[in-house]
Structures are given as C-alpha cells and as structure tokens.
Amino acid sequence: MSDELYDTFTQFFDADINQYLGEHGGGAEVVELRGNELVIRMLGECRGCLSMNDTVNGVILKKVSAVFPFVKKICVTDDVSPEVCEMACSLFTSHGYK
C-alpha cells in the first residue's frame, strides 16, 4: 500500500471508525492492504470483545466499503502493535531481564 493510501485510510479511521469505536473504549488501526482485503488491528476494549466480528463485518466493513469500494473484506490481525512490543521490551530490559 502506498504511503498516500495508508494516510487516507488512517485519516478515515480517525475521523469515522474510531469515533464510533471510541464510544465503547476501543479503536482500530490500519495494518496493510492485501488486494481487496484490508488488514486492521483492534485496540482497547474492542480487542477480544465478544462482539468484535459483528463490529468488523457489520459496521467497519460497511463504512469502509462505502468510501473505498475496492475493499471487499476486512481481516483482523491478532498481533500487537510495534509500540506495545517496544514498551514491553523496555520494561524487561529496565528490570534486568534479557
């Protein structure tokens, strides 16, 4: 995905998707685009929520495909963000764990 397209998705998520998810203590971020499949990471209370699949396929996909009609599917990755990994590593190294 080009930087320009990534920025466009990110702006859309910040302005629309995350406004909705933020009301529930959560959020989502764009990870990558694979053809017509958008890969996202769920954040906060949305991560692991029992309603996550309904939210992704019922709300997020509809909103995204209305603006980006080439997106036909949304996949949720279960990996952690690089920021969380960095924070965990710094906690371990600051306490003598390596």
Side-chain angles (χ1 to χ4, degrees), residues 6-19 30 38 60 62-68:
Y6 177 82
D7 290 343
T8 303
F9 271 116
T10 300
Q11 289 170 6
F12 173 74
F13 267 68
D14 289 346
D16 190 317
I17 303 297
N18 287 327
Q19 294 296 316
V30 175
L38 182 66
I60 298 175
K62 286 180 182 176
K63 287 178 174 272
V64 169
S65 62
V67 176
F68 306 95

Side-chain angles (χ1 to χ4, degrees), residues 83-93:
E83 293 81 16
V84 172
C85 286
E86 187 176 313
M87 182 178 66
C89 287
S90 70
L91 286 172
F92 282 119
T93 56

